[in-house]
């Protein structure tokens, strides 16, 4: 079955550590997105990519980095510069004008 | 810039009753899509229904239907025969164009009461 896989489901970060969240899709979608969601809040866009080897900053890109070396993969790195990384992270993908398909999310916490 | 406004932060409804969630938006596009997503306590984002702006007929998916008023830029979601499993956050969303990220409303938290 086609879909989006995010891993891990839970992740813990130590002070000063970079961590990487994985997002893989087998839907052959061109565009991929990363969102952050804080408790009881809506979705805020971190980064998005419309084609391989290209990506754009969203509303809250500071402290995060991404790469898009393959169409299927769009990993997100939460760097030590992100001082408040505790949140729920959602990855999504889509074709033009079609609804976004979402992964099941990764919950990141600070140790 | 496109905007999406959901004016009801929280709503509740009795099981088996009908509830309507409001959404208004602003866009300069003439042809576009609108979506409603559901996020249950599991936090999965699930597409509930979509509406194409060039279609005058309101979209329907089983117990879910929309009231789309293009001139008023209104896109409300009606849930009929509410079930406990409908308890969730509901987000209205609009794609500015093509593969640009969706613009989401802030969400409405719906509680279905037995």
């Amino acid at each position: 079955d086609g879909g989006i896989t995010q891993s891990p489901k839970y992740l813990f970060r130590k002070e000063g550590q970079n961590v990487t969240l994985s997002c893989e899709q087998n839907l052959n979608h061109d565009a991929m997105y990363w969102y952050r969601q804080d408790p009881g809040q809506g979705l805020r866009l971190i980064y998005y990519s419309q084609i391989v080897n290209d990506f754009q900053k969203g509303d809250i890109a500071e402290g995060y980095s991404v790469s898009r070396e393959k169409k299927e993969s769009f990993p997100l790195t939460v760097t030590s510069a992100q001082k408040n990384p505790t949140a729920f992270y959602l990855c999504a993908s889509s074709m033009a004008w079609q609804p976004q398909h979402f992964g099941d999310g990764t919950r990141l916490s600070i140790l | 810039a496109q905007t999406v406004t959901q004016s009801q932060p929280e709503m509740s409804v009795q099981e088996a009753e009908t509830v309507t969630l409001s959404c208004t938006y602003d866009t300069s596009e003439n042809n576009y899509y609108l979506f409603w997503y559901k996020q249950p306590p599991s936090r999965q984002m699930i597409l509930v229904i979509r509406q194409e702006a060039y279609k005058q007929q309101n979209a329907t998916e089983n117990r879910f239907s929309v009231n789309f008023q293009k001139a008023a830029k209104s896109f409300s979601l009606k849930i009929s025969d509410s079930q406990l499993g409908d308890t969730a956050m509901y987000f209205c969303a609009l794609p500015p164009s093509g593969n640009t990220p969706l613009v989401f409303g802030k969400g409405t938290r719906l509680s279905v009461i037995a």
Side-chain angles (χ1 to χ4, degrees):
Chain A
D1 285 340
I4 300 178
T5 301
Q6 287 188 243
S7 63
K9 192 168 184 176
Y10 300 96
L11 186 59
F12 298 90
R13 196 190 87 168
K14 294 180 181 179
E15 200 75 35
Q17 185 181 43
N18 293 352
V19 292
T20 297
L21 284 61
S22 171
C23 179
E24 303 276 334
Q25 55 101 357
N26 61 2
L27 299 165
N28 199 32
H29 286 169
D30 292 321
M32 296 186 75
Y33 314 85
W34 274 106
Y35 294 92
R36 170 179 171 143
Q37 188 177 32
D38 293 287
Q41 302 298 311
L43 280 69
R44 292 188 290 170
L45 181 68
I46 304 172
Y47 270 99
Y48 69 101
S49 168
Q50 294 172 309
I51 56 172
V52 175
N53 292 322
D54 189 44
F55 47 83
Q56 285 77 41
K57 292 182 179 180
D59 302 319
I60 55 166
E62 186 174 348
Y64 299 96
S65 66
V66 294
S67 63
R68 186 92 186 273
E69 297 176 1
K70 299 186 300 181
K71 188 175 185 178
E72 302 79 16
S73 179
F74 191 41
L76 173 73
T77 296
V78 184
T79 74
S80 57
Q82 173 49 247
K83 297 306 179 188
N84 184 23
T86 298
F88 186 66
Y89 291 86
L90 280 162
C91 179
S93 70
S94 72
M95 295 295 286
W97 293 113
Q98 296 303 307
Q100 291 179 5
H101 294 248
F102 286 83
D104 289 342
T106 293
R107 189 180 305 274
L108 176 62
S109 302
I110 297 295
L111 279 178
Chain B
Q2 283 80 359
T3 60
V4 176
T5 303
Q6 293 180 248
S7 58
Q8 304 149 315
E10 294 189 25
M11 296 188 72
S12 62
V13 62
Q14 292 286 334
E15 199 174 5
E17 297 294 309
T18 295
V19 64
T20 299
L21 282 58
S22 300
C23 173
T24 57
Y25 62 92
D26 190 24
T27 180
S28 57
E29 300 288 332
N30 190 42
N31 292 320
Y32 49 91
Y33 290 76
L34 290 157
F35 308 113
W36 276 99
Y37 282 88
K38 167 185 177 180
Q39 189 180 39
S42 65
R43 306 194 80 169
Q44 286 180 299
M45 288 287 284
I46 303 165
L47 179 68
V48 174
I49 199 165
R50 78 175 79 178
Q51 175 75 44
E52 294 158 21
Y54 66 88
K55 290 187 176 179
Q56 293 187 337
Q57 187 173 7
N58 289 327
T60 300
E61 289 286 343
N62 301 314
R63 298 183 295 106
F64 298 87
S65 61
V66 300
N67 181 5
F68 173 53
Q69 299 181 13
K70 190 173 182 180
K73 294 184 178 175
S74 171
F75 181 58
S76 59
L77 175 69
K78 186 172 84 170
I79 306 173
S80 304
D81 186 25
S82 297
Q83 300 175 359
L84 295 177
D86 295 333
T87 293
M89 282 285 286
Y90 287 82
F91 294 97
C92 180
L94 164 73
S97 66
N99 263 339
T100 53
L102 292 175
V103 177
F104 286 92
K106 292 189 181 298
T108 295
R109 183 178 302 280
L110 177 67
S111 298
V112 180
I113 303 165

